[in-house]
Amino acid sequence: LDDVAQRVIARLRGLPAPGVPDPGHPFVLVAKDLAPADTALLDLDKVLALVTTEGGPTSHTAILAREKAIVAVVGVADAAGLKDGETVIVDAAAGVVVTQPTDEELARAKNRADARASAASAPITPGAMKDGFEVPLLVNLGNAEGAAEAVALGAEGVGLFRTEFLFLSSSQAPTVEQQRVVYEKLLAAFPGKKVVVRVLDAGADKPLPFLNDAHEENPALGLRGLRALRASEDILREQLTALAEADAATRAAGDGADLWVMAPMVATVEETEYFTSIAREYGIRTAGVMVEVPSSALLADRILAVADFASIGTNDLTQYTMAADRLLGSVAAFQDPWHPAVLRLVREVGEAGRANGKPVGICGEAAADPMLAVVLVGLGATSLSMAPTALADVRATLLQYTLGEAQAIAEAALAANDAASARAAAQSAAASTSSPAAEAAATREKETEQ
Ligand code: PEP
Ligand code: MG
């Protein structure tokens, strides 16, 4: 609305609409924050990178930048002091902006940018570590239309289909028929591949009027996710009916996928039993839960004795572990999945998965951070799911390390006291494996220290 208001005011005053400047050559765009329309319309041939002084990692600017694979660092308050014409290095992997870089730093940055470009054009192979240990690389989707692009970028399936995104603007619960059409389209786009659909995750940042009608002081801690569905069980039953029908129809047509269904915001073993048994009533063959609440990570051994799989949502797991609202810029610094407290919880779930012989996927934004992806595999993740644009970087980085090396890198991160030291410890542990990616990581670490 702010964006629209500014545009209307400019029109009334006879001024050009506010927007991104065009200096006539490629440049790094520094802004307080960007309006969604500006981020969506950025000319990627001109804007080399984006730096904002406000906003957190889950702000709309960050999310859109990630979707468009724009190099971006958000929430850099000091960037307000940058002058037009200054040369900077924007290092999104380390989350820093290097000012007054030396020629040597510039040359190294260029090498890294070239390496990233060649990763993007490298042949698409199934996700694996250097020793061949397979780590399927899946995608997060919010609608079936995104499937074709994801397949073109090498998605080996879908790790998270956010069904609530389909109905954010509906005031009434969708019908079975409305849902079945979408699910059929999705499943048919991934014949024979794994497709993990999450039942409606309504509440907090994604309220659905037909599921969340009460005012809550703290909606992130309220009747959301599976709790809200349980309070309106008919809606859950209709969704499971639509999924089962879409599964049957696509299988009958010969282009069925391997459908897995999971529940969001599961906090207890009892909720796991509730969801898996109701899903099985509808013939869902693989029923699992998301681990986004510390309680379910801590009891993952018991949860995975019941569920067929777990998928860790690192966005919410970080929010709840650090007690920091994921939408609030003022506490954005706490919202860092590298924090060893979060990594310990991931390790709990990884170990529970191994002990129970059950898969443990990761579907939060953490899986899209290439070095953190290595750490997550070292902690026991068996698949990673991310925005399609992140696939190439993660695929190239996993290939640089063996599973044993990933475990050693994860141990180094776990031993740190905070997120920044965990990131640095992982980078130096990676450097001791002396792969090209590790050398780049070590250089980055040195630059960050300086
Ligand atoms: C998460 O919490 O990490 C997750 C994947 O779910 P969402 O971002 O949709 O809450
Ligand atoms: Mg979540």
Side-chain angles (χ1 to χ4, degrees):
L1 287 176
D2 280 345
D3 183 28
V4 173
Q6 291 310 320
R7 284 165 195 269
V8 171
I9 291 167
R11 170 64 69 96
L12 292 174
R13 297 175 68 194
L15 298 171
V20 176
D22 182 4
H25 56 77
F27 63 104
V28 172
L29 179 63
V30 182
K32 200 163 145 191
D33 202 355
L34 286 192
D38 288 335
T39 316
L41 296 174
L42 281 183
D43 178 349
L44 298 186
D45 291 331
K46 295 257 175 62
V47 179
L48 300 172
L50 183 60
V51 179
T52 66
T53 55
E54 293 186 357
T58 47
S59 64
H60 58 255
T61 307
I63 289 169
L64 286 173
R66 202 174 286 122
E67 267 174 19
K68 296 188 76 169
I70 301 172
V71 173
V73 182
V74 298
V76 189
D78 291 351
L82 289 173
K83 303 263 169 327
D84 236 1
E86 258 187 75
T87 299
V88 293
I89 296 173
V90 183
D91 186 343
V96 295
V97 178
V98 181
T99 51
Q100 300 176 344
T102 61
D103 287 348
E104 203 190 330
E105 284 173 327
L106 282 171
R108 275 203 303 264
K110 181 160 185 329
N111 285 346
R112 276 165 34 213
D114 291 347
R116 184 167 184 267
S118 70
S121 56
I124 292 174
T125 49
M129 307 298 288
K130 191 163 133 191
D131 51 3
F133 179 78
E134 289 172 12
V135 184
L137 299 180
L138 314 169
V139 284
N140 296 347
L141 293 179
N143 57 53
E145 282 70 42
E149 188 211 357
V151 170
L153 291 169
E156 294 171 65
V158 179
L160 168 64
F161 187 66
R162 291 180 161 108
T163 56
E164 64 283 355
F165 279 17
L166 299 169
F167 308 112
L168 285 177
S169 54
S170 314
S171 55
Q172 287 180 343
T175 63
V176 170
E177 174 61 16
Q178 272 173 324
Q179 297 188 66
R180 191 172 54 77
V181 173
V182 184
Y183 303 150
E184 270 185 35
K185 204 163 155 195
L186 172 75
L187 295 173
F190 293 92
K193 302 260 174 60
K194 174 163 119 181
V195 173
V196 185
V197 175
R198 170 171 79 185
V199 292
L200 297 167
D201 180 17
D205 50 323
K206 307 166 281 204
L208 295 178
F210 54 89
L211 274 170
N212 316 99
D213 55 359
H215 171 76
E216 297 176 324
E217 284 297 324
N218 293 303
L221 304 180
L223 199 66
R224 59 167 304 193
L226 183 62
R227 299 169 188 181
L229 282 173
R230 209 168 172 178
S232 303
E233 197 182 280
D234 49 333
I235 296 181
L236 172 59
R237 288 186 177 276
E238 282 177 6
Q239 187 167 24
L240 292 169
T241 305
L243 283 164
E245 284 183 9
D247 187 35
T250 45
R251 280 171 181 271
D255 55 4
D258 179 14
L259 172 65
W260 295 22
V261 181
M262 65 183 180
M265 301 300 304
V266 169
T268 66
V269 179
E270 190 275 332
E271 282 182 319
T272 311
E273 285 162 349
Y274 166 79
F275 177 72
T276 51
S277 65
I278 203 166
R280 288 185 188 119
E281 273 181 44
Y282 290 83
I284 302 296
R285 286 175 300 279
T286 314
V289 297
M290 288 193 74
V291 174
E292 310 180 90
V293 182
S295 60
S296 56
L298 292 166
L299 291 191
D301 52 342
R302 298 176 212 171
I303 282 183
L304 277 170
V306 177
D308 295 325
F309 68 98
S311 181
I312 307 179
T314 49
N315 308 336
D316 277 313
L317 188 60
T318 308
Q319 152 166 270
Y320 294 125
T321 305
M322 304 305 294
D325 186 335
R326 63 190 265 191
L327 299 179
L328 206 57
S330 55
V331 291
F334 289 93
Q335 183 67 31
D336 191 333
W338 275 97
H339 198 285
V342 179
L343 300 181
R344 264 199 198 182
L345 291 174
V346 173
R347 181 183 60 180
E348 287 289 328
V349 190
E351 282 175 358
R354 251 194 310 269
N356 282 282
K358 304 272 175 77
V360 172
I362 308 277
C363 64
E365 295 296 326
D369 171 338
M371 199 68 226
L372 187 48
V374 172
V375 168
L376 295 169
V377 173
L379 294 173
T382 55
S383 67
L384 301 170
S385 189
M386 62 205 77
T389 46
L391 288 167
D393 267 358
V394 172
R395 182 184 297 116
T397 308
L398 291 183
L399 276 171
Q400 307 288 334
Y401 306 96
T402 63
L403 177 61
E405 286 166 348
Q407 286 162 342
I409 296 168
E411 281 305 319
L414 276 171
N417 282 348
D418 55 45
S421 345
R423 199 181 268 112
Q427 285 173 346
S428 58
S432 66
T433 69
S434 75
S435 69
E439 276 158 25
T443 310
R444 224 165 23 231
E445 188 201 352
K446 242 167 82 202
E447 283 170 3
T448 311
E449 277 167 9
Q450 281 164 5

